[in-house]
Amino acid sequence: MGRDRIVIGNWKMYKTSREAADYIEHLAKKIEGCSTRVYLAVPYTSIASASNTAKQSGILIGAQNMNDARDGAFTGEIAAMMLKEAGADFVILGHSERRRIFNESDEFIHRKVIRALSDDLQTVLCVGETGAEREEGKTEEVLLRQIESALQDVPDKAHEKVILAYEPVWAIGTGKTATAQAAQEAHAYCRKCLEQIFGKRKSGHISILYGGSVNPDKVKEIVKQKDIDGVLVGGASLDPDTLAAIIHQCEGKR
Ligand code: PEP
């Protein structure tokens, strides 16, 4: 289907603007000539400087969250158009840390997805089951609910700006990576859900990334899988050499 390989680094609440600039200069040199598309989700305060530094490198800079409103009296929140103005090309929505720690509901995430796409931000939608849900055999039920609720009523053509990230909650920040086979099974199911929403042709263009304790040793086997188009990397993305090693492992024909 000709989908690109994508690697997204999610820095969470780490790195100042100065550190971000140094990191990006270093990473850009290490991945010169690579064809994998590289995205970095940085703290809000680093978006402007990071996008300036990244300009010539092809690395895309984005945010890790946003509010669903256009603007308004929402102390401490940030709007899609503010992220765009600062230089963000994309936003991560529905990350399990937002769902779990900040009690974000499926409905809220859906409203954010619609806002982000309407304001022309690529949207990386994160979905995934908890360890308990997997043990209870509810993985598919959870994935279907999260994908359907977030992506319903997406405006025509906006599916082109959607990236899906399958991130089993039990694998995030735990060092427990899903086996390549388990990840492939979940991805194949996610693709089926996307087909139900957008139809086969349109959904075939949507990349699905795996996230959860990815590191340079494990990534090759993961991205060999048919329905896995790349990876979303948290902890291991904090070191540019480690992220560069992951990107190099992702290089090659799809
Ligand atoms: C994440 O934050 O989305 C993530 C996958 O984290 P980690 O790679 O540290 O598990």
Side-chain angles (χ1 to χ4, degrees):
M1 180 47 76
R3 292 184 296 271
D4 294 329
R5 274 272 161 77
I6 298 176
V7 172
I8 301 180
N10 174 19
W11 287 359
K12 312 194 184 201
M13 201 171 71
Y14 293 101
K15 296 194 190 297
T16 62
S17 303
R18 184 64 257 155
E19 289 167 338
D22 291 346
Y23 175 115
I24 291 164
E25 279 170 11
H26 186 85
L27 178 68
K29 281 194 202 119
K30 288 248 159 186
I31 60 169
E32 239 173 41
C34 288
S35 59
T36 300
R37 286 163 56 196
V38 179
Y39 292 51
L40 292 176
V42 306
Y44 299 135
T45 49
S46 298
I47 290 173
S49 73
S51 67
N52 265 328
T53 311
K55 233 170 221 149
Q56 307 303 325
S57 67
I59 297 170
L60 295 183
I61 302 299
Q64 304 164 18
N65 183 35
M66 53 167 250
N67 191 268
D68 66 313
R70 188 186 174 280
D71 52 19
F74 301 110
T75 303
E77 290 294 272
I78 195 150
M81 64 173 177
M82 297 168 185
L83 298 177
K84 279 284 294 182
E85 187 192 41
D89 289 300
F90 74 96
V91 62
I92 293 178
L93 296 176
H95 192 282
S96 66
E97 285 155 14
R98 301 295 319 172
R99 293 180 192 262
R100 185 172 48 85
I101 305 170
F102 300 98
N103 292 319
E104 292 195 2
S105 66
D106 287 333
E107 291 72 27
F108 189 34
I109 292 162
H110 172 237
R111 292 200 303 273
K112 294 190 201 204
V113 167
I114 298 297
R115 172 66 62 192
L117 293 172
S118 312
D119 284 3
D120 203 28
L121 278 173
Q122 277 194 71
T123 298
V124 181
L125 172 68
C126 298
V127 297
E129 79 288 359
T130 62
E133 287 164 339
R134 174 160 279 264
E135 274 166 28
E136 288 164 28
K138 291 185 176 161
T139 299
E140 293 193 351
E141 186 187 317
V142 171
L143 294 178
L144 179 63
R145 194 198 72 233
Q146 292 181 343
I147 294 171
E148 270 191 348
S149 63
L151 296 178
Q152 62 186 302
D153 307 324
V154 158
D156 201 32
K157 286 214 148 233
H159 69 280
E160 290 171 5
K161 287 179 280 176
V162 173
I163 294 172
L164 190 67
Y166 168 62
E167 298 210 297
V169 181
W170 50 269
I172 296 181
T174 59
K176 284 191 228 158
T177 317
T179 63
Q181 193 194 338
Q184 163 57 30
E185 278 167 20
H187 279 236
Y189 184 71
C190 288
R191 184 147 304 287
K192 222 163 104 184
C193 298
L194 291 175
E195 277 176 21
Q196 277 170 26
I197 300 169
F198 298 110
K200 206 169 173 70
R201 189 181 54 79
K202 283 184 177 176
S203 64
H205 294 285
I206 299 177
S207 298
I208 310 179
L209 314 185
Y210 168 80
S213 296
V214 169
N215 66 38
D217 298 331
K218 293 175 181 166
V219 69
K220 197 156 198 148
E221 199 53 34
I222 290 172
V223 294
K224 260 195 214 158
Q225 307 303 311
K226 171 172 163 283
D227 289 295
I228 302 185
D229 302 309
V231 287
L232 200 165
V233 189
S237 75
L238 293 174
D239 173 29
D241 290 327
T242 309
L243 191 67
I246 289 172
I247 293 163
H248 282 282
Q249 293 290 341
C250 288
E251 284 289 290
K253 278 214 183 94
R254 295 241 48 225

